[in-house]
Amino acid sequence: MVLVCVPALAMAQEHAHRMDDSTKGISFGGMAVVLVTQVDPAVRGTTLREAYLSQPMFMLQARSPNERIAARVTWNLEGAVMRRGELTPGIYGEGYIDRRHPHTALHEAMLVAQHALRGAMLSVSAGKGIVPFGSDDPMMRPFQKFPVNHHIAQILERAVVIGAARYGIVALEGSLFNGDEPESPGDTPNVDRFADSWSARASLAPLAGLETTVSIARVTSPEDAEGKGLNQRKVHAAARYETAATRGVQYMLVEYGHTGEYRRTRKAWDFSTTLVEAGGALGPVRFALRFERTTRPDEERTEGDFRSFRPLLDFSILGRSRWDAGAVNLSTQKRIGAQLAITPFLEIGLSRVRPTVLPTTFVPADFYGASRLWAVSAGMRLHAGQMPARMGRYGAGRTSPAQDH
Amino acid sequence: MNSRLSLSRARGATLGIAALLCVTTACGDDDALPVQNQTPIISAPLAMSVLGRGNLVDRYTAEVYAHGNFAYTTTWGRRGALQTTGNTFYVWDVSGVLPVLSDSVLAGTDVTTIGDVAVSDDGKLLVVPTELVPGSVLIYDLTNPAKPLLLSRYTSPSITRGVHTCEVARVNGTLYAFLSVNRSATLSKLEIVDLSDPTAPRSVLVRDMGNPFIHDVFVRDGRLFTALWDDGLVVWDIGGGGKGGSVSDPVEIGRIRTVGGQVHNAWWYQDRSTGSKKYVFVGQEGGGSIGAASSGDIHVVDISNPAAPTEVAFLNIEAGGTHNFSVDEANGFLYAAYYNAGVQVVDVRGDLGTCNADARSSDGRCDLKKAGRHHAEGLRSAGMPVYIWGVHYLNGFVYASDMLNGLWKLQGYTR
């Protein structure tokens, strides 16, 4: 294998994160985001302003000349620089609330073997990575802040084995994985829980640039590493559109997701999400818009205002709130040589939160100090080398032939 | 005697006489039409008489314990636009018809929840556990029950996460506190503290237990009953169980995982009318949305053979879940806090494990509701949402702590 660093192509200008990932051989890439975020109000009527080095990642990709074997390793340094999490109104997961949790140090380590057979592409992937369920990892989507629905619409950082097959415009993926979420940035999947959970995703790409998916998953006790917590039954559907056009709307995503939490066969509660986002370019300026309506559990907080118990105390929640959240992102990319790109951005978000269960012991307006929360972020994304256009698919599960290369 | 109870008895007697007449007629007349099987009529539960409420809405109310002319309620979480913390407990004068707030006591500025409260059997000490970090147990002198006086604050490395519940009981003449500490970075555990000198409490046992939680304990006659969630109810000898156990070295006698697990609390019932000591009532906390919804049954466990307990009966309340109990053993009524379903009253006198086929569930347990033992309910139709955390029966009255509204006083039942 020859070390090749393909210069960032013109396509990089179409999408804030997009870099060509068709490289054969070995390639390296990295990214990081330097930003300041202000949330108003953040808690009890107070405004919080914080600076971050967010999403510092290094990625190694390797592909054999015949493309039958591929590997990807992604190191994420958020555990070292962002342990407190990143202010993101409404988001929840892995014991963080209203802060996005830091990702694990070994974010991804996947080995992929694929083989063409009678017009179909078959693959087996194994390692630690993204479960074939839902939509793409928000890290590679055109917003800095993750959506509230992150833990409804994706399943990340699991030890996973994926079988995939693609024939023409249809792709099918199935996986086995460990249900337990990471408990810290240094955590690794519990080996004794491997294969206690499964997922399946069907993708259809009927037109060039258009991809529709339906996913289902059964996740055992994600919030209790010992396997004694509630189990999740998840469904997801999405339509994604992307074009190589150089101006106007270049990308759209519409998704619906639902997660029910069960103790054996008895449902404790459920949460759902509907999200629409779009991105494009007008001259040198890129824009992105997002709106979501997501319900989330309101959990008892510990150790301050942004952490919750794991496992949930007595497996009860304080209530359930609905988040109507909109965001606008404006950015422009500056190339520095062939390997570097800097993307300054401004992102403004407005969320409205209301309880859906009454009475509730978590009254959003009391806790936050208002029912409408503003989040303003300004910063720069830094890209170096090669990064994938999307994260969340491996082998034959990757984008349709119309988008493949 | 309660007039409603008399009416119930009259109704029951009438049904019984009618049934007897039907049977007699059928047996004595060969030409009579066969008696059709009739679905047993289950009387609706009586409505408890609500005497009044002591209003408290700036904090969420948690547990209640009544002693003499006073009741003590604790607080939980954060409430209101000021996000007022559950770091205070309240003293109520309950000598009159309505609870009257007498005093409030700040447990500590580092306290966010006080989930339990207990008074020692001699009425001298009030014991209050605190959550979250740093956990502690506060011990107050009740020489003046209207003005608790802090004697000591107990801390230990085992309880830094916070003490979820704290029961106080005497074993072989010595007073102990039994602290249930839930899992965080470390396993759930039980710590037992000697209160012989309440100014200097001394730990005598720390033991990991609970799957994943240890929620509460019950202590009586040298036996310890631990509510270990999905590990069920475990019976221990701590000095009276005949297995050579002690407070510092409990020995397991037996255990049972009740149907559905989620064992939250227990009460070893001693029926004063019969002398029976064979039943333990077990509460199941099925999870819910605090303030609005709950789930979980009451389970009846027969410990005639304590090495092999068996579950013989249960009570299910629709759209409600049980929390804490208080049993009037003299009259044989169990009062249960049922969160959004108010207070539920169960007639627990006599044989709870025997019932006719109509009252027997498919798994062989007796359905106490179908067996006609669901005696009464209160506050479910109070005209406002309630979320009853705790109940305490004392001297003919039932004190119910309502997370949303304060402290209720209801009339208890007699035979």
Side-chain angles (χ1 to χ4, degrees):
Chain A
M1 293 184 181
V2 176
L3 179 65
V4 175
C5 293
V6 176
L9 301 180
M11 281 191 292
Q13 296 175 349
E14 299 170 354
H15 191 291
H17 292 285
R18 185 176 181 134
M19 310 285 269
D20 179 29
D21 66 347
S22 66
T23 306
K24 296 181 176 56
I26 299 175
S27 64
F28 295 100
M31 65 171 280
V33 183
V34 178
L35 75 150
V36 175
T37 290
Q38 177 168 304
V39 177
D40 178 24
V43 61
R44 288 187 291 280
T46 61
T47 298
L48 287 181
R49 184 183 304 141
E50 296 179 352
Y52 308 100
L53 176 61
S54 177
Q55 302 175 30
M57 295 196 303
F58 298 97
M59 183 177 290
L60 166 66
Q61 298 187 91
R63 202 172 285 183
S64 64
N66 60 8
E67 297 194 40
R68 285 191 175 183
I69 303 293
R72 179 191 294 166
V73 180
T74 304
W75 292 274
N76 189 303
L77 303 181
E78 285 183 335
V81 298
M82 207 181 73
R83 193 112 185 174
R84 61 182 168 174
E86 180 178 329
L87 280 174
T88 307
I91 202 168
Y92 70 101
E94 297 180 21
Y96 287 75
I97 312 180
D98 298 321
R99 284 185 185 272
R100 176 179 66 78
H101 59 80
H103 289 105
T104 55
L106 185 60
H107 183 60
E108 196 178 23
M110 292 292 290
L111 184 66
V112 181
Q114 64 181 23
H115 178 68
L117 179 67
R118 296 181 183 175
M121 184 64 72
L122 308 175
S123 70
V124 174
S125 308
K128 183 187 177 187
I130 302 170
V131 171
F133 174 87
S135 50
D136 291 354
D137 187 341
M139 201 176 294
M140 294 303 177
R141 283 154 56 181
F143 293 89
Q144 168 58 27
K145 296 300 180 184
F146 279 35
V148 175
N149 75 5
H150 177 38
H151 276 254
I152 298 176
Q154 293 94 35
I155 305 173
L156 271 65
E157 298 183 316
R158 303 302 209 279
V160 59
V161 172
I162 304 169
R166 190 176 73 229
Y167 186 82
I169 61 173
V170 179
L172 299 173
E173 302 163 274
S175 79
L176 297 174
F177 59 97
N178 65 294
D180 54 298
E181 294 174 338
E183 296 180 280
S184 69
D187 194 23
T188 53
N190 290 333
V191 174
D192 60 351
R193 286 198 53 189
F194 177 72
D196 69 359
S197 304
W198 62 268
S199 76
R201 180 165 61 190
S203 304
L204 180 68
L207 301 171
L210 178 63
E211 174 187 287
T212 59
T213 64
V214 175
S215 308
I216 185 171
R218 296 288 184 268
V219 189
T220 300
S221 184
E223 298 180 349
D224 182 3
E226 295 191 9
K228 296 162 186 171
L230 300 179
N231 302 323
Q232 290 184 349
R233 300 180 186 181
K234 303 172 74 75
V235 294
H236 183 274
R240 184 182 184 278
Y241 175 74
E242 187 168 12
T243 174
T246 56
R247 60 178 306 201
V249 176
Q250 301 165 327
Y251 156 78
M252 284 189 68
L253 171 69
V254 179
E255 68 178 349
Y256 168 81
H258 181 270
T259 295
E261 298 202 2
Y262 289 77
R263 178 178 166 84
R264 300 188 186 95
T265 59
R266 180 174 183 175
K267 186 166 67 176
W269 40 69
D270 54 10
F271 310 99
S272 63
T273 183
T274 303
L275 180 146
V276 178
E277 67 183 29
L282 290 173
V285 177
R286 298 180 189 176
F287 63 90
L289 302 163
R290 179 172 71 204
F291 177 79
E292 71 171 307
R293 171 167 285 181
T294 299
T295 54
R296 73 146 200 213
D298 296 318
E299 301 171 344
E300 188 172 359
R301 308 201 180 205
T302 177
E303 300 175 34
D305 296 315
F306 298 97
R307 301 298 304 272
S308 61
F309 288 101
R310 284 292 181 270
L312 279 180
L313 276 183
D314 300 344
F315 299 118
S316 290
I317 57 176
L318 306 190
R320 182 175 61 201
S321 55
R322 188 179 82 189
W323 290 76
D324 294 331
V328 174
N329 181 292
L330 299 173
S331 66
T332 185
Q333 190 173 75
K334 298 296 182 185
R335 303 288 303 280
I336 302 176
Q339 295 298 320
L340 295 178
I342 295 176
T343 307
F345 69 89
L346 173 68
E347 186 168 305
I348 300 173
L350 175 64
S351 303
R352 185 177 75 161
V353 54
R354 292 182 295 182
T356 64
V357 177
L358 292 173
T360 178
T361 49
F362 180 83
V363 180
D366 289 343
F367 180 80
Y368 297 111
S371 298
R372 287 185 167 81
L373 288 69
W374 287 93
V376 179
S377 300
M380 277 189 299
R381 285 194 206 94
L382 310 170
H383 285 97
Q386 304 300 312
M387 294 288 287
R390 300 169 64 179
M391 289 184 74
R393 292 174 175 270
Y394 307 100
R398 294 174 67 221
T399 54
S400 69
Q403 295 171 322
D404 209 347
H405 22 249
Chain B
M1 180 175 292
N2 186 292
S3 59
R4 287 184 173 140
L5 184 58
S6 298
L7 183 62
S8 175
R9 283 192 164 183
R11 193 161 47 201
T14 304
L15 284 172
I17 292 170
L20 182 62
L21 285 173
C22 287
V23 172
T24 304
T25 304
C27 291
D29 187 346
D30 291 339
D31 295 328
L33 291 172
V35 175
Q36 292 180 338
N37 288 332
Q38 295 182 346
T39 302
I41 299 173
I42 302 170
S43 300
L46 302 173
M48 294 183 74
S49 175
V50 179
L51 301 178
R53 179 178 94 245
N55 205 38
L56 187 72
V57 294
D58 62 344
R59 285 182 170 88
Y60 292 118
T61 298
E63 185 60 292
V64 59
Y65 199 102
H67 184 80
N69 289 325
F70 292 91
Y72 306 91
T73 60
T74 64
T75 53
W76 175 92
R78 297 177 185 273
R79 188 174 191 178
L82 298 179
Q83 291 289 280
T84 307
T85 308
N87 60 4
T88 298
F89 67 89
Y90 293 92
V91 183
W92 302 81
D93 183 335
V94 295
S95 59
V97 174
L98 299 179
V100 176
L101 190 60
S102 170
D103 196 10
S104 63
V105 180
L106 176 67
T109 55
D110 56 357
V111 175
T112 54
T113 283
I114 309 170
D116 202 359
V117 59
V119 175
S120 59
D121 56 356
D122 55 11
K124 292 182 177 179
L125 298 178
L126 178 79
V127 180
V128 173
T130 69
E131 290 181 290
L132 293 158
V133 176
S136 68
V137 177
L138 306 175
I139 301 165
Y140 293 84
D141 176 89
L142 282 186
T143 301
N144 179 357
K147 295 289 182 183
L149 181 67
L150 183 65
L151 291 176
S152 64
R153 177 175 180 145
Y154 175 78
T155 61
S156 82
S158 308
I159 65 173
T160 52
R161 179 238 174 271
V163 181
H164 199 52
T165 60
C166 174
E167 301 300 329
V168 178
R170 202 169 294 274
V171 181
N172 295 328
T174 301
L175 188 69
Y176 296 95
F178 297 79
L179 317 182
S180 296
V181 182
N182 272 327
R183 193 182 110 201
S184 57
T186 56
L187 296 174
S188 295
K189 53 179 54 58
L190 171 70
E191 180 165 359
I192 303 178
V193 177
D194 185 328
L195 298 181
S196 299
D197 179 0
T199 64
R202 181 177 62 88
S203 177
V204 298
L205 174 79
V206 178
R207 183 177 291 188
D208 293 342
M209 60 177 71
N211 177 16
F213 308 121
I214 172 174
H215 203 286
D216 206 347
V217 306
F218 188 88
V219 180
R220 193 172 201 170
D221 297 344
R223 286 184 184 181
L224 167 69
F225 298 81
T226 52
L228 300 185
W229 214 260
D230 287 343
D231 272 355
L233 174 77
V234 181
V235 187
W236 307 82
D237 174 15
I238 56 171
K243 290 282 187 177
S246 66
V247 173
S248 60
D249 187 20
V251 174
E252 181 174 329
I253 300 172
R255 66 170 59 202
I256 179 172
R257 187 181 182 283
T258 46
V259 173
Q262 301 171 310
V263 174
H264 169 274
N265 62 303
W267 184 291
W268 182 23
Y269 174 51
Q270 298 187 358
D271 189 333
R272 296 188 196 171
S273 68
T274 65
S276 169
K277 300 180 182 181
K278 70 177 180 178
Y279 293 130
V280 177
F281 304 123
V282 173
Q284 172 192 6
E285 185 163 28
S289 184
I290 299 175
S294 59
S295 63
D297 292 348
I298 295 175
H299 303 259
V300 182
V301 174
D302 187 328
I303 61 164
S304 300
N305 176 5
T310 58
E311 183 172 346
V312 297
F314 70 97
L315 177 75
N316 173 264
I317 298 294
E318 187 178 343
T322 187
H323 198 226
N324 293 334
F325 304 150
S326 183
V327 182
D328 172 12
E329 295 187 336
N331 288 293
F333 289 110
L334 180 152
Y335 298 92
Y338 251 84
Y339 281 141
N340 53 296
V343 178
Q344 303 293 330
V345 186
V346 188
D347 178 356
V348 294
R349 177 172 282 182
D351 186 352
L352 303 179
T354 300
C355 53
N356 61 32
D358 292 324
R360 193 167 293 279
S361 66
S362 58
D363 59 12
R365 298 177 297 158
C366 289
D367 183 333
L368 294 180
K369 186 182 291 185
K370 292 180 180 178
R373 287 185 173 271
H374 181 200
H375 186 73
E377 69 177 18
L379 299 178
R380 194 165 192 174
S381 303
M384 65 180 71
V386 299
Y387 209 75
I388 307 300
W389 175 301
V391 286
H392 197 187
Y393 173 83
L394 182 67
N395 298 331
F397 300 104
V398 180
Y399 301 95
S401 54
D402 180 356
M403 290 190 74
L404 304 178
N405 301 296
L407 178 65
W408 298 86
K409 185 173 181 178
L410 302 92
Q411 184 70 53
Y413 289 98
T414 57
R415 296 285 177 180

